[in-house]
Amino acid sequence: MPAAQESPGRITKISVTGFKSLRDEQSIEIRPLTILAGANSSGKSSILQPLLLLKQTLEESYDPGPLLLNGPNVRFSKMDQLLWHSDGEAQSARTFRVRLATAETSERGLTFTEYEQKPSIVEMTDTVGGESLTLREGMDDAEIRSKVLPRLVRVNESQIAGMRFYVSRDRWRLRVSAPLALPSIFDPTTPSIFPPLLPGLTVIQWSLPVLADEMSEDILSMIHLPGLRGEPRRTYPLAAVGSHFPGTFHNYTASVIASWKEGEEGKEKLAGLAGDLERLELAWQVEATSLDAAQVEVKVSRLPKSKAGGAAELVNIADVGFGVSQVLPVLVALRVAGEGQMVYLEQPEIHLHPNAQARLAEVIAAAARRGVRVVVETHSSLLLLAVQALVAKGELPAGDVGLNWFRRDDDGATRIESGSLNEAGEYGDWPEDFADVELALKRQYLRAAAAHVPAGDDPTPPGH
Amino acid sequence: MTPLRLVIDASVASGADDRSPRQTTRVACADFLFAVRDLGHLAVFNDRLREEWEGHGRTHGAASDFALSWLTSMQSKGRVRRSSLERPDLRWRIPNAAGHHEDVKTMEDDFHLIEAALDTDRRVASRDDKARTAFKQASAKGLVELAPVLWVNPASPSEAAIGWLEQGAPDEPARRLS
């Protein structure tokens, strides 16, 4: 099993139902390198969006309710936009569900519904060691007594005989409540996955937080780089740099590079970043300087490779090709991420020359080898092929790569077919179609061009 | 349809080249490669054949960009098989079985196709009609081990190679080297 899957608390599998085009439950495993591929609007982004919704909700400074719909990572204006719809209203979903597994037998399930056009949480399931506990709105007293209470606390039946338990919703928690308080009935030494939120109150309450602490930490530490990473700028706003990057990462890029001027570790990362840029044949030096308390300037070498004895001529990043400013956040994110940290890259290859796309796979694979969990959404056949080559060369363990192919069925519902590479870098029957498209186009061209092929004795060179 | 392990000569790969002078050959070879892939068959390579495909070859030159894309696709799908069988016992008998002196070199140059075919499903696709004729004659003159090998030329319309593939590449006497 890949190393990244072994650490407790880290999300190893995401399953989503009823969300946008994900009508039926679809899942992806999180491997050291997880690749999401498929046509436009096939649902690639949708599988990660529930995680991004949770991230932006957890990061919000005020209480946004169960889910912050309109945030820096994903933007919705009403709950309806999150739910599966088909032509027939009867087939539309009223809820969506996300299950986040941290091990084979441990996961947290969350079900959200629309309540006055806002998201509302209606069910939580906590599975530990294969045993599940569900809190659901509308659970009756008998169900709570038989299925919930025994998992929560050790109680003396006679002491709770006259009480009526119910599940209530309190912002983003589901809570078991009873109208009377008898704190003495609880044995404080009993391990409980639902500790009383406010012990000693006159109402018995246990609530299940939306996410366990380790899972929250995994989501909060996630680095997200969307496909649109902004125009290159002469200066970037100064941002605080730590191990967590709320919102989308490209806003931190300049500040992170500036922070690497200090300390051995920082200098090592800066040198690594310059090496990555040189590998992509984009630049061989990079630096960022704080101009004042609010702005950072990023400069890169004008030449893609160093010249013997030549000093670097550094120019503002706005003065070089678009590819540099678009890929720089990708490279910095992969360098700044710590072991086990998840980095979600949407189309890291945009604006890159084919050669740089292939080289980018090497940089991504190097990050995965360092223990970063990289999730890549891509349309690049070259990037995928380069990953296959790295596996075949033994430079990336085959089991570290997870392939997920997204397509829409006739009803418009997303289907995900997951696969793996073998040690030869082959993916077998995984329905990757980049090669199909390329071959079909070449065949089409051959057939079309055949009509224009000159006779064998025609000396006119092509293009004349 | 049962997938078959086919030996596809580099001459078919180079035939699909967009620089190939004969447009009918280009289209026929490209269509044949497509059919092999779409029908789920496997491609067999020994080291010599692989070198020829990848551009280190000799007689017919390197595979085309199209053919290499095809090979990449086949490899990615896990539809490439390797053969390492060598038959020095048969190769040694080529001079005695050759109909003409010049056929010896022709057969020696293409004998790796026969070796790979004998190691797998005994099916060869090649544009090299000269080699086919030489092998047929050798088979008749005592190199009988070659007789069960089926040999098709995808660029020859009369051989209807794609139709043959679609029928499951059956063992038809007319296609044998006998």
Side-chain angles (χ1 to χ4, degrees):
Chain A
M1 182 178 287
Q5 291 185 288
E6 291 169 356
S7 302
R10 289 182 186 153
I11 296 165
T12 55
K13 187 175 180 183
I14 302 169
S15 305
V16 181
T17 316
F19 186 86
K20 295 175 72 179
S21 62
L22 300 161
R23 180 186 62 190
D24 309 313
E25 184 171 82
Q26 300 292 309
S27 305
I28 60 166
E29 276 185 29
I30 303 299
R31 304 263 190 109
L33 175 53
T34 304
I35 294 176
L36 315 180
N40 297 108
S41 302
S42 58
K44 298 188 294 297
S45 302
S46 300
I47 195 80
L48 265 296
Q49 281 181 348
L51 216 57
L52 295 175
L53 280 165
L54 291 168
K55 175 179 165 67
Q56 67 189 22
T57 305
L58 291 166
E59 287 171 349
E60 189 51 76
S61 55
Y62 64 91
D63 181 357
L67 285 177
L68 175 63
L69 295 187
N70 190 8
N73 301 95
V74 276
R75 293 184 174 84
F76 298 99
S77 57
K78 44 184 187 174
M79 181 65 181
D80 191 48
Q81 295 159 354
L82 277 64
L83 299 172
W84 156 261
H85 287 286
S86 73
D87 293 340
E89 181 63 26
Q91 292 179 41
S92 297
R94 301 318 310 158
T95 62
F96 81 85
R97 185 167 192 237
V98 56
R99 293 196 297 137
L100 303 173
T102 53
E104 281 286 313
T105 54
S106 298
E107 68 168 40
R108 177 62 57 94
L110 307 167
T111 305
F112 297 89
T113 191
E114 180 183 355
Y115 181 72
E116 295 176 350
Q117 295 198 7
K118 294 178 197 150
S120 174
I121 188 156
V122 288
E123 185 178 291
M124 296 180 187
T125 301
D126 191 52
T127 305
V128 179
E131 281 191 47
S132 294
L133 175 62
T134 297
L135 282 188
R136 189 176 53 251
E137 234 192 344
M139 276 180 125
D140 62 20
D141 180 72
E143 198 175 2
I144 293 169
R145 282 172 182 273
S146 64
K147 295 180 181 170
V148 179
L149 288 188
R151 289 283 310 276
L152 294 176
V153 286
R154 191 178 302 158
V155 296
N156 182 327
E157 287 294 332
S158 64
Q159 290 177 297
I160 60 170
M163 299 165 68
R164 287 195 68 78
F165 290 92
Y166 60 96
V167 173
S168 61
R169 189 174 54 219
D170 177 13
R171 296 203 292 252
W172 66 334
R173 298 168 190 275
L174 287 183
R175 177 168 293 180
V176 178
S177 303
L180 291 174
L182 292 171
S184 61
I185 66 174
F186 305 114
D187 176 355
T189 62
T190 303
S192 167
I193 59 168
F194 301 144
L197 246 200
L198 300 166
L201 280 188
T202 54
V203 174
I204 295 171
Q205 292 179 327
W206 302 272
S207 58
L208 176 59
V210 168
L211 299 167
D213 288 347
E214 298 86 353
M215 204 177 269
S216 295
E217 174 59 23
D218 203 23
I219 293 172
L220 282 166
S221 66
M222 179 181 178
I223 293 175
H224 173 220
L225 259 178
L228 296 172
R229 303 194 267 273
E231 299 267 331
R233 297 165 64 164
R234 298 244 150 241
T235 63
Y236 292 85
L238 189 65
V241 174
S243 59
H244 288 35
F245 300 94
T248 49
F249 182 78
H250 55 281
N251 299 310
Y252 299 91
T253 307
S255 298
V256 169
I257 300 171
S259 76
W260 286 345
K261 276 186 171 173
E262 306 299 329
E264 280 306 307
E265 193 184 342
K267 286 175 182 168
E268 198 177 303
K269 284 185 184 292
L270 193 59
L273 176 64
D276 293 340
L277 281 167
E278 189 169 14
R279 188 189 288 234
L280 267 60
E281 298 186 0
L282 294 171
W284 65 279
Q285 232 178 26
V286 56
E287 67 172 37
T289 309
S290 300
L291 298 179
D292 51 38
Q295 299 178 89
V296 184
E297 181 184 26
V298 179
K299 288 183 172 179
V300 295
S301 59
R302 188 184 289 280
L303 295 176
K305 287 188 178 294
S306 60
K307 285 168 88 173
E313 184 196 351
L314 297 176
V315 294
N316 190 289
I317 196 166
D319 295 326
V320 296
F322 222 55
V324 182
S325 63
Q326 293 300 299
V327 81
L328 193 61
V330 174
L331 303 179
V332 174
L334 293 171
R335 286 272 165 197
V336 80
E339 188 181 351
Q341 203 163 353
M342 199 188 313
V343 177
Y344 172 33
L345 306 172
E346 295 183 50
Q347 295 168 45
E349 72 275 7
I350 50 173
H351 297 289
L352 288 182
H353 181 273
N355 184 49
Q357 290 183 34
R359 297 287 178 85
L360 182 60
E362 297 170 12
V363 177
I364 289 171
R369 282 198 301 268
R370 288 196 301 273
V372 178
R373 292 181 297 157
V374 191
V375 180
V376 178
E377 184 189 320
T378 184
H379 290 295
S380 173
S381 59
L382 294 169
L383 193 142
L384 176 60
L385 191 55
V387 169
Q388 291 176 251
L390 288 168
V391 168
K393 286 190 282 185
E395 294 175 17
L396 184 64
D400 280 5
V401 184
L403 305 172
N404 301 278
W405 182 258
F406 291 67
R407 66 177 177 83
R408 302 280 284 270
D409 67 15
D410 292 341
D411 295 332
T414 292
R415 302 280 173 218
I416 303 175
E417 291 182 53
S418 300
S420 303
L421 296 175
N422 63 15
E423 289 182 352
E426 299 167 344
Y427 46 69
D429 288 330
W430 188 61
E432 184 275 328
D433 75 350
F434 298 141
D436 294 346
V437 172
E438 186 183 335
L439 267 177
L441 270 175
K442 284 180 175 173
R443 186 190 202 191
Q444 188 183 326
Y445 167 69
L446 286 176
R447 284 176 173 275
H452 303 281
V453 172
D457 57 354
D458 185 344
T460 312
H464 291 76
Chain B
M1 184 182 296
T2 307
L4 289 165
R5 294 165 294 174
L6 308 173
V7 180
I8 302 171
D9 186 21
S11 62
V12 179
S14 59
D17 194 331
D18 60 10
R19 292 161 295 182
S20 178
R22 293 196 58 185
Q23 60 191 51
T24 51
T25 299
R26 276 176 12 180
V27 172
C29 289
D31 286 352
F32 181 81
L33 292 174
F34 249 97
V36 168
R37 201 189 69 131
D38 294 347
L39 292 169
H41 292 303
L42 310 171
V44 180
F45 290 87
N46 49 28
D47 289 347
R48 169 81 181 273
L49 183 57
R50 188 87 181 205
E51 278 179 16
E52 289 177 355
W53 266 77
E54 293 180 4
H56 307 293
R58 35 91 205 166
T59 316
H60 298 292
S64 66
D65 180 40
F66 175 86
L68 284 179
S69 297
W70 176 87
L71 179 55
T72 304
S73 169
M74 289 288 283
Q75 184 81 55
S76 295
K77 289 175 184 295
R79 300 246 204 88
V80 173
R81 296 292 178 270
R82 181 176 178 164
S83 168
S84 53
L85 177 72
E86 293 184 5
R87 295 294 302 266
D89 55 320
L90 301 183
R91 191 183 281 269
W92 181 77
R93 287 159 51 197
I94 285 176
N96 284 339
H100 304 281
H101 177 67
E102 59 268 27
D103 290 345
V104 174
K105 186 173 184 321
T106 300
M107 285 193 281
E108 284 177 346
D109 280 348
D110 274 350
F111 198 70
H112 60 292
L113 303 176
I114 299 292
E115 288 173 322
L118 290 174
D119 192 27
T120 54
D121 290 319
R122 307 192 319 273
R123 281 154 176 83
V124 174
S126 171
R127 290 165 57 214
D128 195 339
D129 290 339
K130 192 176 162 193
R132 172 164 55 182
T133 304
F135 283 130
K136 273 192 169 190
Q137 287 176 350
S139 166
K141 284 189 68 181
L143 211 51
V144 293
E145 291 87 344
L146 273 53
V149 173
L150 309 174
W151 186 295
V152 293
N153 181 349
S156 167
S158 64
E159 295 187 36
I162 292 174
W164 174 68
L165 277 184
E166 287 170 345
Q167 291 162 26
D171 185 355
E172 296 170 353
R175 299 185 191 274
R176 288 186 199 152
L177 294 179
S178 58

